[in-house]
Structure formats: C-alpha cells, structure tokens
Amino acid sequence: GQFLTDFFKAVLEDKDWRDYHWPGKKKDAQDEREPDPPMDVARFDPRDYIAYIVADGNSMGEVFGECEKKEQLQALSENLKARVYASLAKPIKYLLKRAEEEEEQTHLSRFLPVLPLIAGGDDLFILLPAPWALDFARRFAKVYEDEMRRLIEGLEIQEVDPPTIAVAVVICKAKYPYYLAHQRGEDLLKQAKQVTKRWAVENEETPRSIVNFEVLLGSRLGGTERSGAYRPALGPYWIGGDVDGWGIDIEHLIKQRYALRLLPRRRLAQLRSHFDALTEVKKDDFKAWSKQLEQLLNRFPDEQKENDGQRGAAEAALAKLGGRDLYRVKRTTDRADWRGHALPDLLNAWDFAFDLKRSRTEYEE
C-alpha cells in the first residue's frame, strides 16, 4: 500500500520504483502466491542468513522540546520520516549495485532487497541482506546525522545538540521469528543507548552515534552477555571515530575484514578458538594466554618466506582491533574495568562485514 510506495519512491530516487521488485512481491503474474520476504532476501547468503536493523534517534525528545513555534513542531514531525528515508537512500544505492552484480549471475529481475517493517518518525525496523548489514548500518547512521542536521538548521531550531542515532543489527536465519529478532534488536539498542548516554554525561558531551550487533546462530535466542576481566568482545561500536576507553569505530571491523581476506579458514578458526578461551582467563593467567597467541602467530606463514603476508595481516588486525594486551574498557556501564578485543566480534560476523563499495569477488582474490 501507501507505506511501501512512499518508501520505494524515496529510496530509489530518480529510478522508477515500479520497475523493481521488493521482498515478498511476485516476480511474475503467473506466480500462484507471493514469496516469503525473508527467504527472498536470504538469496544473497548461502546459509540463508538475513539481517534486521533496529534504529532510534538519540535525544529527539529534546529537539521537539526546543521548537518555539507551532510551525516548527509541525514541520519537524512531517519531515522526520522523509529524512530517515533519505538517510537510507545512500547505502541502498550501493546495495542495489551489489545486488545487481549478483543477480546478473542468477538472471533475476531488478530487485531491491530492503523491506521496512516499522518506520515511525526516527524509529526504524528494516529487513535487508546479511552480507552487508554492518556497513549498511554504519553508512546509514553517518548520512542520518547530516540529514537531520540540515533539517534542524533549516527549521531554525536553536540550542539543540547535533543529531545522532543508535543502531542495532540482528543477523539470523531467514526462518527465525521476526518478532524475536525485533525483541533482541531492542535489547541491543538499549545497551547501545546506555553506553552513549553515559559517555555523554561523564564527558559533558553530546551522545554519539553508536551501533551494536549480534549473530544468532541457528535457532539460538541470543542475549548471552560477557563477563570477567578478559572478554572476547568489545561492542557496542562507535560511528565517527574511536572513543578512548569506551570502544572503537565499527569501520575498523569493515576494513579488517577486507585486510584479512587472504587468511585461510583454518587460521581464522585457530584465532577464534584462542580468543574464545579468554572467558576462562584470570588475571594471573593472561601472560600464558599471550604467550600462546605468539606461538600461534609464529605458525602463520612469514611474508618474506612465502610472500602471502598472513602473519603481517594478522598482526596488523590485532593492533587495530584492540592490541596484543587487549583494549582496556573504562566505560562505567560495567562494575569494573575489563579488557576486550574486537577480533572475535569480527570473526563472529565474518560473512556479514563486507564493504558496500566493494564487490564480493574482491574478497576472493
């Protein structure tokens, strides 16, 4: 109906939205029934994984509260959804290119694999392909900041903080109940908002854009929270730069996914296994864990000997994603400081951290 029509008109911009099929739309008049939307989107992942994004603007109540005129309040309310759609349009442009590249190989008609399920103001819940989910969330948030800033400036709303957004990405099987995915997304969103709000309060700053994500394997419900002095995780992640002691930018994961593309699956599995052992590591055992990591890296082919750079790439990724001694997390959402690393998060989302500007064939060189 009108809900989908408005969305596809907005995000396809100069293209004729009638020429495109969206998830769940019949591809042919001869089809007896409409396809299942999640399975329609799952065509881009060999294991039928899809992604849901849940997003909500930070401090939007304060923006509405600063509207001094009725006309400002009305215009802000009326234009909010349009700006959110405009924020989606740019990453969708890249996603269309990726989809069209792959559809040329499968001889499918033009397909826009994004479906909005909730779009109310700055509150968003959408379905999209899993392989590009993390980069899609990152790019959406960055454009959202620009779009909302222009809207607020255009309406001459004074004394408001720069607009930012919190985003949660849930990656799961296509058959996973979407209402459970949404519920988990809301939980991840709440965690992310707590981090950015506490950072803002402690540093007398504006809440920053932030993203949280989880990969739900099989029918697992999710929600397993890490604890202990050392953890094989580092999220939530920031958008727009690292924040000392509070975490790193999600862009590091996207870049290191490409940088590590030549590492064999066996090497990745070894790294994953070693970092998973952090959950059992106590402070007195960390030196032994570090020594074992060095021994593992020594088994990686050396660039000078075999000219493939596996060890160099692994060491560079370790440095960028938390360092050999791990990243010291000082945010007060936890009872005490702890050390974590982003490499396990990347390995968990390995097949879902592709750069939207890169063809997937570039990862297979």
Side-chain angles (χ1 to χ4, degrees):
Q2 195 62 44
F3 173 68
L4 288 182
T5 299
D6 290 345
F7 174 77
F8 286 102
K9 279 183 179 179
V11 300
L12 286 168
E13 297 178 309
D14 57 335
K15 297 181 175 63
D16 190 340
W17 64 276
R18 296 177 185 81
D19 293 339
Y20 284 80
H21 296 282
W22 51 80
K25 183 182 178 183
K26 291 181 180 180
K27 306 297 182 293
D28 193 301
Q30 306 300 320
D31 293 344
E32 293 183 3
R33 58 183 180 179
E34 295 178 342
D36 178 54
M39 287 305 298
D40 226 3
V41 172
R43 70 176 67 171
F44 296 100
D45 183 78
R47 295 180 296 163
D48 290 341
Y49 274 86
I50 58 170
Y52 293 99
I53 284 181
V54 183
D56 186 42
N58 294 322
S59 307
M60 280 304 299
E62 297 176 14
V63 178
F64 277 96
E66 290 296 328
C67 292
E68 298 178 349
K69 303 175 183 177
K70 183 180 179 181
E71 293 78 9
Q72 287 177 319
L73 191 64
Q74 184 176 355
L76 178 61
S77 180
E78 289 175 352
N79 285 280
L80 199 53
K81 183 191 287 188
R83 295 301 174 122
V84 171
Y85 284 174
S87 304
L88 289 167
K90 192 165 186 178
I92 282 177
K93 176 183 176 182
Y94 297 125
L95 184 58
L96 267 176
K97 187 173 183 180
R98 301 283 78 83
E100 287 169 357
E101 284 175 352
E102 301 196 11
E103 286 188 355
E104 284 179 6
Q105 302 171 20
T106 55
H107 306 292
L108 294 171
S109 58
R110 281 186 287 185
F111 179 52
L112 177 57
V114 179
L115 188 69
L117 302 171
I118 297 174
D122 61 335
D123 184 16
L124 188 69
F125 180 41
I126 62 173
L127 166 69
L128 72 159
W132 303 279
L134 297 188
D135 198 34
F136 189 100
R138 179 183 73 89
R139 293 179 186 276
F140 160 69
K142 290 176 74 69
V143 181
Y144 173 90
E145 291 181 355
D146 293 337
E147 288 288 337
M148 291 303 299
R149 176 179 49 78
R150 284 197 290 269
L151 175 60
I152 290 169
E153 290 175 354
L155 296 176
E156 298 181 345
I157 301 172
Q158 306 297 323
E159 298 181 5
V160 295
D161 293 330
T164 58
I165 193 167
V167 184
V169 182
V170 178
I171 298 166
C172 58
K173 287 282 193 177
K175 295 295 186 182
Y176 194 84
Y178 77 91
Y179 54 91
L180 291 181
H182 182 261
Q183 184 178 52
R184 184 56 188 153
E186 290 286 354
D187 293 340
L188 293 170
L189 196 66
K190 182 179 178 180
Q191 293 171 13
K193 279 183 169 285
Q194 286 177 344
V195 171
T196 192
K197 286 179 180 179
R198 291 195 184 190
W199 174 82
V201 169
E202 290 198 12
N203 294 276
E204 298 182 349
E205 294 279 359
T206 302
R208 295 183 47 163
S209 290
I210 193 167
V211 60
N212 209 0
F213 70 87
E214 185 172 16
V215 179
L216 302 178
L217 299 174
S219 59
R220 186 168 65 90
L221 290 176
T224 303
E225 308 301 339
R226 303 289 190 180
S227 60
Y230 299 98
R231 306 179 192 178
L234 197 55
Y237 291 89
W238 299 100
I239 295 168
D242 302 343
V243 182
D244 185 39
W246 288 71
I248 65 174
D249 196 312
I250 189 74
E251 187 174 11
H252 291 301
L253 275 67
I254 309 299
K255 287 184 174 180
Q256 291 307 311
R257 172 61 182 90
Y258 181 72
L260 293 173
R261 68 192 184 283
L262 298 181
L263 259 65
R265 290 276 178 170
R266 179 170 62 91
R267 298 297 183 192
L268 297 172
Q270 290 171 339
L271 287 168
R272 181 198 294 269
S273 178
H274 188 68
F275 271 91
D276 283 346
L278 276 173
T279 54
E280 307 298 327
V281 171
K282 309 299 181 185
K283 288 188 176 181
D284 294 339
D285 302 327
F286 185 71
K287 286 186 177 179
W289 182 91
S290 296
K291 185 178 180 179
Q292 292 169 356
L293 176 60
E294 185 64 30
Q295 291 171 346
L296 172 59
L297 291 172
N298 285 337
R299 298 201 296 271
F300 280 43
D302 184 80
E303 188 170 0
Q304 282 73 33
K305 293 180 180 178
E306 302 195 22
N307 197 34
D308 59 8
Q310 287 186 26
R311 173 160 184 169
E315 289 183 333
L318 287 169
K320 288 287 187 182
L321 299 177
R324 289 291 195 93
D325 294 328
L326 278 64
Y327 184 96
R328 184 185 175 195
V329 179
K330 297 180 287 186
R331 58 190 183 225
T332 56
T333 49
D334 297 274
R335 295 179 181 177
D337 294 358
W338 51 277
R339 290 184 181 272
H341 207 279
L343 181 60
D345 286 338
L346 172 57
L347 294 175
N348 287 336
W350 186 253
D351 294 321
F352 317 117
F354 294 109
D355 189 328
L356 271 170
K357 283 192 173 183
R358 294 184 181 275
S359 169
R360 272 203 280 189
T361 57
E362 294 182 52
Y363 291 83
E364 301 166 2
E365 295 174 353

PDB file of all heavy atoms in Angstrom, residues 297-314:
ATOM      1  N   LEU A 297      50.828 -17.271  16.254  1.00  0.00           N
ATOM      2  CA  LEU A 297      51.229 -16.388  15.161  1.00  0.00           C
ATOM      3  C   LEU A 297      52.523 -16.861  14.508  1.00  0.00           C
ATOM      4  O   LEU A 297      52.724 -16.663  13.302  1.00  0.00           O
ATOM      5  CB  LEU A 297      51.387 -14.960  15.675  1.00  0.00           C
ATOM      6  CG  LEU A 297      50.092 -14.260  16.095  1.00  0.00           C
ATOM      7  CD1 LEU A 297      50.409 -12.917  16.760  1.00  0.00           C
ATOM      8  CD2 LEU A 297      49.175 -14.045  14.904  1.00  0.00           C
ATOM      9  N   ASN A 298      53.387 -17.473  15.263  1.00  0.00           N
ATOM     10  CA  ASN A 298      54.651 -17.989  14.706  1.00  0.00           C
ATOM     11  C   ASN A 298      54.407 -19.090  13.679  1.00  0.00           C
ATOM     12  O   ASN A 298      55.280 -19.368  12.845  1.00  0.00           O
ATOM     13  CB  ASN A 298      55.552 -18.512  15.825  1.00  0.00           C
ATOM     14  CG  ASN A 298      56.205 -17.392  16.614  1.00  0.00           C
ATOM     15  OD1 ASN A 298      56.340 -16.276  16.122  1.00  0.00           O
ATOM     16  ND2 ASN A 298      56.607 -17.681  17.864  1.00  0.00           N
ATOM     17  N   ARG A 299      53.247 -19.709  13.730  1.00  0.00           N
ATOM     18  CA  ARG A 299      52.923 -20.766  12.765  1.00  0.00           C
ATOM     19  C   ARG A 299      52.315 -20.204  11.483  1.00  0.00           C
ATOM     20  O   ARG A 299      52.144 -20.926  10.510  1.00  0.00           O
ATOM     21  CB  ARG A 299      51.960 -21.788  13.407  1.00  0.00           C
ATOM     22  CG  ARG A 299      52.549 -22.512  14.617  1.00  0.00           C
ATOM     23  CD  ARG A 299      51.821 -23.815  14.884  1.00  0.00           C
ATOM     24  NE  ARG A 299      50.426 -23.612  15.257  1.00  0.00           N
ATOM     25  CZ  ARG A 299      50.002 -23.441  16.509  1.00  0.00           C
ATOM     26  NH1 ARG A 299      50.880 -23.424  17.506  1.00  0.00           N
ATOM     27  NH2 ARG A 299      48.725 -23.288  16.771  1.00  0.00           N
ATOM     28  N   PHE A 300      51.982 -18.910  11.505  1.00  0.00           N
ATOM     29  CA  PHE A 300      51.461 -18.280  10.303  1.00  0.00           C
ATOM     30  C   PHE A 300      52.609 -18.075   9.317  1.00  0.00           C
ATOM     31  O   PHE A 300      53.712 -17.705   9.719  1.00  0.00           O
ATOM     32  CB  PHE A 300      50.834 -16.918  10.633  1.00  0.00           C
ATOM     33  CG  PHE A 300      49.445 -17.000  11.208  1.00  0.00           C
ATOM     34  CD1 PHE A 300      49.121 -17.934  12.178  1.00  0.00           C
ATOM     35  CD2 PHE A 300      48.453 -16.130  10.786  1.00  0.00           C
ATOM     36  CE1 PHE A 300      47.851 -17.995  12.725  1.00  0.00           C
ATOM     37  CE2 PHE A 300      47.175 -16.182  11.321  1.00  0.00           C
ATOM     38  CZ  PHE A 300      46.870 -17.131  12.292  1.00  0.00           C
ATOM     39  N   PRO A 301      52.392 -18.293   8.022  1.00  0.00           N
ATOM     40  CA  PRO A 301      53.465 -18.086   7.037  1.00  0.00           C
ATOM     41  C   PRO A 301      54.016 -16.672   7.114  1.00  0.00           C
ATOM     42  O   PRO A 301      53.268 -15.697   7.242  1.00  0.00           O
ATOM     43  CB  PRO A 301      52.766 -18.336   5.692  1.00  0.00           C
ATOM     44  CG  PRO A 301      51.608 -19.206   6.034  1.00  0.00           C
ATOM     45  CD  PRO A 301      51.153 -18.782   7.394  1.00  0.00           C
ATOM     46  N   ASP A 302      55.338 -16.579   7.050  1.00  0.00           N
ATOM     47  CA  ASP A 302      56.006 -15.282   7.108  1.00  0.00           C
ATOM     48  C   ASP A 302      56.048 -14.664   5.710  1.00  0.00           C
ATOM     49  O   ASP A 302      56.311 -15.350   4.727  1.00  0.00           O
ATOM     50  CB  ASP A 302      57.424 -15.440   7.655  1.00  0.00           C
ATOM     51  CG  ASP A 302      58.119 -14.110   7.830  1.00  0.00           C
ATOM     52  OD1 ASP A 302      57.869 -13.431   8.833  1.00  0.00           O
ATOM     53  OD2 ASP A 302      58.888 -13.740   6.933  1.00  0.00           O
ATOM     54  N   GLU A 303      55.836 -13.379   5.625  1.00  0.00           N
ATOM     55  CA  GLU A 303      55.756 -12.695   4.331  1.00  0.00           C
ATOM     56  C   GLU A 303      57.036 -12.842   3.528  1.00  0.00           C
ATOM     57  O   GLU A 303      57.011 -13.047   2.319  1.00  0.00           O
ATOM     58  CB  GLU A 303      55.452 -11.204   4.544  1.00  0.00           C
ATOM     59  CG  GLU A 303      55.162 -10.466   3.262  1.00  0.00           C
ATOM     60  CD  GLU A 303      54.645  -9.071   3.515  1.00  0.00           C
ATOM     61  OE1 GLU A 303      54.528  -8.696   4.696  1.00  0.00           O
ATOM     62  OE2 GLU A 303      54.355  -8.370   2.537  1.00  0.00           O
ATOM     63  N   GLN A 304      58.174 -12.720   4.199  1.00  0.00           N
ATOM     64  CA  GLN A 304      59.452 -12.811   3.487  1.00  0.00           C
ATOM     65  C   GLN A 304      59.687 -14.216   2.933  1.00  0.00           C
ATOM     66  O   GLN A 304      60.334 -14.397   1.909  1.00  0.00           O
ATOM     67  CB  GLN A 304      60.614 -12.434   4.422  1.00  0.00           C
ATOM     68  CG  GLN A 304      60.759 -10.936   4.636  1.00  0.00           C
ATOM     69  CD  GLN A 304      59.660 -10.371   5.529  1.00  0.00           C
ATOM     70  OE1 GLN A 304      59.199 -11.053   6.429  1.00  0.00           O
ATOM     71  NE2 GLN A 304      59.216  -9.151   5.251  1.00  0.00           N
ATOM     72  N   LYS A 305      59.146 -15.221   3.611  1.00  0.00           N
ATOM     73  CA  LYS A 305      59.387 -16.603   3.187  1.00  0.00           C
ATOM     74  C   LYS A 305      58.401 -17.059   2.108  1.00  0.00           C
ATOM     75  O   LYS A 305      58.779 -17.716   1.154  1.00  0.00           O
ATOM     76  CB  LYS A 305      59.292 -17.539   4.400  1.00  0.00           C
ATOM     77  CG  LYS A 305      60.413 -17.313   5.415  1.00  0.00           C
ATOM     78  CD  LYS A 305      60.260 -18.267   6.590  1.00  0.00           C
ATOM     79  CE  LYS A 305      61.369 -18.056   7.618  1.00  0.00           C
ATOM     80  NZ  LYS A 305      61.214 -18.943   8.792  1.00  0.00           N
ATOM     81  N   GLU A 306      57.117 -16.721   2.295  1.00  0.00           N
ATOM     82  CA  GLU A 306      56.105 -17.278   1.387  1.00  0.00           C
ATOM     83  C   GLU A 306      55.322 -16.218   0.630  1.00  0.00           C
ATOM     84  O   GLU A 306      54.425 -16.522  -0.134  1.00  0.00           O
ATOM     85  CB  GLU A 306      55.149 -18.184   2.179  1.00  0.00           C
ATOM     86  CG  GLU A 306      55.899 -19.321   2.878  1.00  0.00           C
ATOM     87  CD  GLU A 306      54.959 -20.398   3.349  1.00  0.00           C
ATOM     88  OE1 GLU A 306      53.848 -20.494   2.803  1.00  0.00           O
ATOM     89  OE2 GLU A 306      55.329 -21.153   4.239  1.00  0.00           O
ATOM     90  N   ASN A 307      55.638 -14.974   0.880  1.00  0.00           N
ATOM     91  CA  ASN A 307      55.103 -13.857   0.090  1.00  0.00           C
ATOM     92  C   ASN A 307      53.574 -13.785   0.087  1.00  0.00           C
ATOM     93  O   ASN A 307      52.958 -13.401  -0.887  1.00  0.00           O
ATOM     94  CB  ASN A 307      55.607 -13.940  -1.356  1.00  0.00           C
ATOM     95  CG  ASN A 307      55.430 -12.614  -2.085  1.00  0.00           C
ATOM     96  OD1 ASN A 307      55.557 -11.569  -1.468  1.00  0.00           O
ATOM     97  ND2 ASN A 307      55.130 -12.680  -3.361  1.00  0.00           N
ATOM     98  N   ASP A 308      52.937 -14.198   1.203  1.00  0.00           N
ATOM     99  CA  ASP A 308      51.479 -14.058   1.242  1.00  0.00           C
ATOM    100  C   ASP A 308      51.018 -13.167   2.381  1.00  0.00           C
ATOM    101  O   ASP A 308      49.846 -12.825   2.476  1.00  0.00           O
ATOM    102  CB  ASP A 308      50.785 -15.427   1.322  1.00  0.00           C
ATOM    103  CG  ASP A 308      51.220 -16.215   2.555  1.00  0.00           C
ATOM    104  OD1 ASP A 308      51.922 -15.636   3.402  1.00  0.00           O
ATOM    105  OD2 ASP A 308      50.853 -17.387   2.657  1.00  0.00           O
ATOM    106  N   GLY A 309      51.903 -12.778   3.256  1.00  0.00           N
ATOM    107  CA  GLY A 309      51.587 -11.782   4.273  1.00  0.00           C
ATOM    108  C   GLY A 309      50.565 -12.182   5.306  1.00  0.00           C
ATOM    109  O   GLY A 309      49.934 -11.314   5.908  1.00  0.00           O
ATOM    110  N   GLN A 310      50.383 -13.476   5.556  1.00  0.00           N
ATOM    111  CA  GLN A 310      49.368 -13.892   6.516  1.00  0.00           C
ATOM    112  C   GLN A 310      49.680 -13.394   7.923  1.00  0.00           C
ATOM    113  O   GLN A 310      48.813 -12.859   8.604  1.00  0.00           O
ATOM    114  CB  GLN A 310      49.238 -15.417   6.520  1.00  0.00           C
ATOM    115  CG  GLN A 310      48.550 -15.974   5.296  1.00  0.00           C
ATOM    116  CD  GLN A 310      48.314 -17.465   5.407  1.00  0.00           C
ATOM    117  OE1 GLN A 310      48.199 -18.013   6.505  1.00  0.00           O
ATOM    118  NE2 GLN A 310      48.256 -18.136   4.276  1.00  0.00           N
ATOM    119  N   ARG A 311      50.922 -13.549   8.354  1.00  0.00           N
ATOM    120  CA  ARG A 311      51.258 -13.113   9.706  1.00  0.00           C
ATOM    121  C   ARG A 311      51.174 -11.592   9.817  1.00  0.00           C
ATOM    122  O   ARG A 311      50.658 -11.067  10.806  1.00  0.00           O
ATOM    123  CB  ARG A 311      52.658 -13.588  10.106  1.00  0.00           C
ATOM    124  CG  ARG A 311      53.080 -13.008  11.442  1.00  0.00           C
ATOM    125  CD  ARG A 311      54.182 -13.736  12.123  1.00  0.00           C
ATOM    126  NE  ARG A 311      54.436 -13.141  13.429  1.00  0.00           N
ATOM    127  CZ  ARG A 311      55.189 -13.671  14.351  1.00  0.00           C
ATOM    128  NH1 ARG A 311      55.784 -14.842  14.137  1.00  0.00           N
ATOM    129  NH2 ARG A 311      55.366 -13.067  15.517  1.00  0.00           N
ATOM    130  N   GLY A 312      51.695 -10.888   8.818  1.00  0.00           N
ATOM    131  CA  GLY A 312      51.647  -9.430   8.855  1.00  0.00           C
ATOM    132  C   GLY A 312      50.225  -8.910   8.920  1.00  0.00           C
ATOM    133  O   GLY A 312      49.925  -7.979   9.672  1.00  0.00           O
ATOM    134  N   ALA A 313      49.326  -9.524   8.135  1.00  0.00           N
ATOM    135  CA  ALA A 313      47.924  -9.107   8.145  1.00  0.00           C
ATOM    136  C   ALA A 313      47.282  -9.380   9.498  1.00  0.00           C
ATOM    137  O   ALA A 313      46.526  -8.554  10.024  1.00  0.00           O
ATOM    138  CB  ALA A 313      47.152  -9.830   7.045  1.00  0.00           C
ATOM    139  N   ALA A 314      47.595 -10.546  10.083  1.00  0.00           N
ATOM    140  CA  ALA A 314      47.030 -10.903  11.390  1.00  0.00           C
ATOM    141  C   ALA A 314      47.518  -9.958  12.478  1.00  0.00           C
ATOM    142  O   ALA A 314      46.739  -9.502  13.319  1.00  0.00           O
ATOM    143  CB  ALA A 314      47.373 -12.345  11.734  1.00  0.00           C
TER     144      ALA A 314
END
